[in-house]
Amino acid sequence: DFQFGGIGLVTNVYHENLQIKAGLYYNREFWGNFFMPLVGIDWKINDRFQMYGVMPSNYRFEYKLSRTWNTGLGWRSFQRSFRLSQTFNNDFIWVKENQVKLYVEGFVYKNLLLTVDIYRSITYELSHNDYQDVNLKKSGLNTFEPFQKNMGFTLGFAYRIMNTPVEK
């Protein structure tokens, strides 16, 4: 399956340490068109502390530990859908999730960025477009059972092409 999406974001730079953003996110989810207005403030408060992102989807309060390492508190809110197999008539699962997280990230070698975060799901909701589907019930996939708000962690690596603080 294919999902079409995009984002339009306008940034107004008031000062080198303050930017205001506004825009719109769109994705053609399996349940229909999903539009989300975006607004954000990127503010470098001082040499060590900054906040940035776009709400309601993600935002960070970041503290610079060193020239190459940061830590902070983050917010992430997102919705997504996944198509099920032909066995389930190509139905879909709709996931709605809100997280808060603590993270640390830094360059381990030149442009290679390591990120580790520990998060707590504040809300986590799964729904199925036809929760009465007999085949889905037989599969043991109980999409209408409430999920516990759990903790988790993420480990990520990224290769940054530009704007890295590490000199080559």
Side-chain angles (χ1 to χ4, degrees):
D1 290 316
F2 178 78
Q3 288 180 276
F4 177 77
I7 185 172
L9 197 61
V10 175
T11 302
N12 192 355
V13 179
Y14 289 94
H15 185 272
E16 65 183 30
N17 295 337
L18 180 63
Q19 300 176 10
I20 307 292
K21 300 182 263 187
L24 185 67
Y25 170 82
Y26 166 76
N27 198 45
R28 176 68 178 144
E29 293 289 347
F30 296 121
W31 71 82
N33 294 316
F34 178 61
F35 291 95
M36 180 172 53
L38 303 171
V39 87
I41 298 174
D42 292 0
W43 181 22
K44 184 178 178 186
I45 298 167
N46 57 41
D47 288 340
R48 293 229 181 241
F49 188 69
Q50 68 178 346
M51 44 195 269
Y52 61 92
V54 288
M55 289 300 281
S57 59
N58 66 64
Y59 209 77
R60 283 183 163 196
F61 297 92
E62 186 170 271
Y63 180 77
K64 191 172 201 169
L65 296 169
S66 70
R67 193 164 73 67
T68 58
W69 287 88
N70 303 314
T71 188
L73 177 66
W75 164 263
R76 185 173 177 198
S77 176
F78 53 109
Q79 295 187 39
R80 59 207 182 274
S81 57
F82 301 96
R83 182 71 75 188
L84 298 173
S85 68
Q86 289 180 348
T87 306
F88 303 111
N89 303 317
N90 290 319
D91 290 344
F92 64 85
I93 299 294
W94 182 357
V95 183
K96 302 174 193 173
E97 184 173 11
N98 293 303
Q99 300 174 346
V100 291
K101 63 181 175 177
L102 294 171
Y103 68 91
V104 64
E105 67 181 13
F107 289 91
V108 290
Y109 180 77
K110 294 188 180 182
N111 295 37
L112 186 61
L113 181 72
L114 167 69
T115 303
V116 178
D117 58 81
I118 299 171
Y119 65 87
R120 169 91 167 128
S121 289
I122 304 300
T123 60
Y124 190 91
E125 179 184 333
L126 289 178
S127 21
H128 177 244
N129 62 310
D130 182 8
Y131 63 87
Q132 300 299 325
D133 186 300
V134 174
N135 289 328
L136 191 65
K137 288 179 183 175
K138 286 181 183 176
S139 73
L141 184 60
N142 297 319
T143 59
F144 34 103
E145 288 288 325
F147 276 73
Q148 298 297 318
K149 297 170 189 160
N150 288 318
M151 296 192 67
F153 78 95
T154 305
L155 174 65
F157 288 98
Y159 183 81
R160 291 262 174 101
I161 297 172
M162 45 197 302
N163 296 329
T164 61
V166 179
E167 297 169 3
K168 296 181 180 176

